[in-house]
Amino acid sequence: MKNQSVTNNIDWISIIIYALLVILGWLNIYSSSLSSMEDTYEKQLIFIVLTIPLIFVVLSVDGKFYEKYASIIFGISLLTLAGLFLFGKTIAGQRCWYAIGSFTIQPSEFAKAATALALAKYLSDTQINLKDVARQWQALAIIILPVLLILPQPDPGSALIYSIFIIVLYREGLPSWYVWTGFVTIFLFVLTLVLEPQYVILIGLAVIIIVHLKSRLADRNIVLSSILFVLISGFVLSVDYVFDNVFKQHHRDRFNILLGKTVDMKGIGYNTNQSEIAIGSGGWFGKGFLEGTQTKGGFVPEQHTDYIFTTVGEEWGFVGSLAVIALFAGLLLRIIYLAERQKTKFSRVYGYCVAGILFMHFFVNIAMVIGIFPTIGVPLPFFSYGGSGLWGFTILLFIFIKMDANKVNEW
């Protein structure tokens, strides 16, 4: 039987939402760039125009290509990340880019799609069972390898995004204790920064005793509870050392400001303070396009990149911000819907990876600019300035759109 044309099965809803986000992103870059005398909006327009042939290339490649060569694509991605230590260009203390003349490219933006493909390829193997400990660690290794290359650049923001892959693994059968361990670890870390370690240990002990007593007699294990208490105590007692000796000073400052332990509105907390002022000043309906006083005055540093949402909040207000959030939510829900109806495990897993990566960027960026998350440099997809980011997210999304269109040829 002759295969149907995948061109007729492309999900236009996703493409329309994507196009709206890119256009709205460029309008906000244009607005935030006018006061800085920079030509970032012109460069971004060039990036957008170059994205069009890139989309056609991604869609013209046979859908099976991405599955067949996923491991090779992942390997090449790891090599480009490793090559930064020898040939990378350092900008603002980060060695994250390759320089080609005046043009720079950031390989970590493309590594996310490569990792998603590799993870989908591994999990789609019929022999893989994530109840097997060896398989669990092999899957985790795929996630950890790019993180180990990205963290030393240093680029903690990009490395953080990879944590969402744990949820994808959980969706595919990873035991839930991995997820709970991650959440509890983060909670204990933050709680120890707020309270004295001995109080956190006492809280942990109380919780363990309550859980132990509420368990059925057959499930009670005093040895396991004791080991858990020792592990929690050891972790809590190590937090201060890690915070003081592993974290860099600007990371410590950002955490201290977020937790209210330090007030520095003119120093390390300046960006967040100005972004909150800009967003708050927008009110319900905003000051109008190109009318934002904070934006035009250039009060928010990096407003065209990591803090681009402050322009949305000031000029478009609460209603405009809600509309942008609704577009992102609509795209994420659409991707999840499409992922669930895929005929192959490879396409389904990759679809969930796409939704997870976009969600993490969206959530962390918005939380960062409104002051409920430390500033770590995570761009807002399709909005923040940068060719690598735009192209990376575009490739990530349109590979999945191609897979979804190709499902008519799957058995």
Side-chain angles (χ1 to χ4, degrees), residues 237-251:
L237 293 173
S238 70
V239 168
D240 284 340
Y241 176 82
V242 172
F243 189 70
D244 293 334
N245 297 278
V246 177
F247 281 43
K248 294 185 179 296
Q249 183 61 47
H250 63 277
H251 293 145

Side-chain angles (χ1 to χ4, degrees), residues 359-391:
F359 170 76
M360 278 294 286
H361 272 273
F362 162 73
F363 174 77
V364 173
N365 181 272
I366 301 296
M368 184 180 69
V369 299
I370 63 176
I372 62 174
F373 200 88
T375 300
I376 55 173
V378 173
L380 185 62
F382 315 121
F383 265 67
S384 295
Y385 168 79
S388 295
L390 176 62
W391 297 336

